[in-house]
Amino acid sequence: MKKIIFPKALKKGAKIAVISPAGAVDASQLKKGIELIKSKGFEPVLGEHLYTKFSNGYNYAGTEKERIKDINWALNDKEIGAVWASRGGYGCQHLIQHLKLKNFTENPKWYIGYSDNTVIQSYLLKKGFASIHGQTIKTSSFGVTDESYNLIFDILKGKTPKYSLKSHPLNKKGNIEGELIGGNLALIYALLGTKYSFDFKDKILFIEDIGENFYALDRMMMSLELAGVFNKIKGLIVGGMTNMGDEKDNKEYESSFDGFAYKMISERISKYKFPTVFGFPNGHIKDNRPLLIGGMVKVKIDAKVKIEF
């Protein structure tokens, strides 16, 4: 198995590039997050097209060429110590055929984001580099917990995360150890059958999502089953499932961990024996604890759940 490379810890004063690889953002939405980077002793460096807007059936943060230019600058500039996505949305799939890693391979750096950024993180892992599946900059203006960001800064400083959780009734007990892959379920699903898809063999898969109809959630889970994913993985960690189904009919629409979505997932994987964790606090939720995509993780599932990188 290929050894996954972890970027070096950042020193005080290190530069962190802030880019918009997908959806458009306003400066007001990033103000708090950018100030947070400064308050932690780092220097935010804004991408040229961070606030660019390009409407083409969706409000992108610039044309494909503009977004490709920004991400390749951020990944390869030798003065940049980490790359933090402003938000997700849609658009990262446009970029992955055009990513260049010549200088990046000589000076690996953390890429931080989630949601649509799952695409970038899958690409980086294919090349042998770990990344941080955690809050974007924009969500700092939405009442996200301080801990969600503090834990990311801990990782940037060289500390690996450890988590202890209450057991969930749908959990499947067991002890597993392996490489963590995954992220947003819709993007894992979108990459299936492409050369950019995650390698699921003997991995621990993490999934989370937002704003999906229940039938769409089941369709994605069915696609993973039909692709043989559940016969390959060692274990499953299920994170946030929120704003699912119809807001008018779903009493748990605002819940971080939608009960019906969880029931559907549990039923879909019921015939498989791999240990499973439900209710991990990562995803489109206010308490989003970062995970290391590509990191070796130990998971103990019993009366309590312990997850340690």
Side-chain angles (χ1 to χ4, degrees):
M1 187 172 66
K2 182 190 292 186
K3 184 177 180 181
I4 304 303
I5 298 171
F6 277 54
K8 295 178 182 178
L10 297 189
K11 296 179 180 179
K12 190 173 182 179
K15 295 180 178 179
I16 297 177
V18 180
I19 61 169
S20 296
V25 292
D26 294 322
S28 61
Q29 295 173 317
L30 304 190
K31 183 178 179 181
K32 184 175 180 180
I34 289 171
E35 288 301 319
L36 183 60
I37 292 173
K38 293 178 182 177
S39 72
K40 297 295 183 179
F42 300 110
E43 180 184 346
V45 183
L46 310 188
E48 180 182 353
H49 301 99
L50 179 64
Y51 300 123
T52 299
K53 291 181 172 61
F54 173 67
S55 182
N56 188 31
Y58 180 77
N59 290 323
Y60 299 101
T63 64
E64 290 181 26
K65 287 185 177 181
E66 288 170 335
R67 288 179 286 124
I68 290 165
K69 180 181 179 182
D70 274 15
I71 193 169
N72 279 330
W73 155 75
L75 292 173
N76 290 286
D77 191 307
K78 294 180 180 179
E79 293 189 358
I80 298 298
V83 184
W84 207 328
S86 70
R87 61 163 292 185
Y90 173 66
C92 288
Q93 281 180 301
H94 297 149
L95 314 183
I96 51 177
Q97 297 182 83
H98 309 284
L99 294 183
K100 298 175 182 177
L101 298 181
K102 183 177 180 181
N103 291 337
F104 180 91
T105 56
E106 298 171 3
N107 180 34
K109 57 197 76 174
W110 285 116
Y111 186 93
I112 310 157
Y114 74 118
S115 192
D116 200 56
N117 292 281
T118 295
V119 172
I120 307 297
Q121 295 174 320
S122 181
Y123 176 92
L124 290 174
L125 188 55
K126 284 283 186 185
K127 299 297 183 180
F129 300 98
S131 60
I132 300 173
H133 190 276
Q135 289 287 9
T136 55
I137 301 295
K138 177 183 175 182
T139 42
S140 62
S141 64
F142 294 166
V144 168
T145 63
D146 291 340
E147 194 73 355
S148 297
Y149 287 96
N150 290 338
L151 288 167
I152 291 175
F153 286 110
D154 284 346
I155 296 170
L156 293 179
K157 294 174 183 177
K159 183 179 179 181
T160 53
K162 298 179 182 180
Y163 300 110
S164 181
L165 312 173
K166 293 180 180 178
S167 183
H168 191 282
L170 295 176
N171 284 357
K172 292 182 185 178
K173 294 181 180 180
N175 297 335
I176 45 175
E177 182 175 355
E179 183 183 303
L180 185 72
I181 63 168
N184 182 260
L185 178 59
L187 276 304
I188 297 168
Y189 163 77
L191 291 176
L192 283 177
T194 75
K195 65 180 181 180
Y196 303 105
S197 179
F198 287 103
D199 174 9
F200 298 97
K201 181 67 174 174
D202 294 329
K203 305 300 193 302
I204 298 173
L205 176 63
F206 169 74
I207 59 172
E208 63 84 25
D209 222 318
I210 184 173
E212 296 288 353
N213 286 311
F214 290 120
Y215 72 84
L217 171 63
D218 187 63
R219 178 171 58 202
M220 291 187 285
M221 293 296 292
M222 273 302 310
S223 288
L224 265 61
E225 180 169 24
L226 293 172
V229 170
F230 300 139
N231 287 317
K232 297 176 182 177
I233 60 174
K234 279 185 174 180
L236 179 67
I237 300 174
V238 185
M241 293 282 161
T242 188
N243 298 161
M244 308 298 282
D246 190 325
E247 185 175 6
K248 300 190 298 293
D249 300 326
N250 184 5
K251 293 180 180 179
E252 293 189 63
Y253 187 77
E254 298 293 340
S255 171
S256 293
F257 311 107
D258 186 280
F260 189 71
Y262 270 23
K263 179 174 177 287
M264 291 181 70
I265 294 169
S266 179
E267 289 174 350
R268 186 55 61 199
I269 63 169
S270 61
K271 66 182 180 182
Y272 300 97
K273 302 301 183 184
F274 50 75
T276 306
V277 175
F278 283 87
F280 186 83
N282 183 296
H284 291 73
I285 58 179
K286 291 185 176 180
D287 186 25
N288 182 350
R289 306 299 176 100
L291 293 168
L292 301 180
I293 301 301
M296 290 298 295
V297 61
K298 293 180 181 179
V299 183
K300 295 183 178 181
I301 310 164
D302 205 328
K304 285 190 175 182
V305 176
K306 293 186 178 181
I307 296 176
E308 180 178 346
F309 288 91

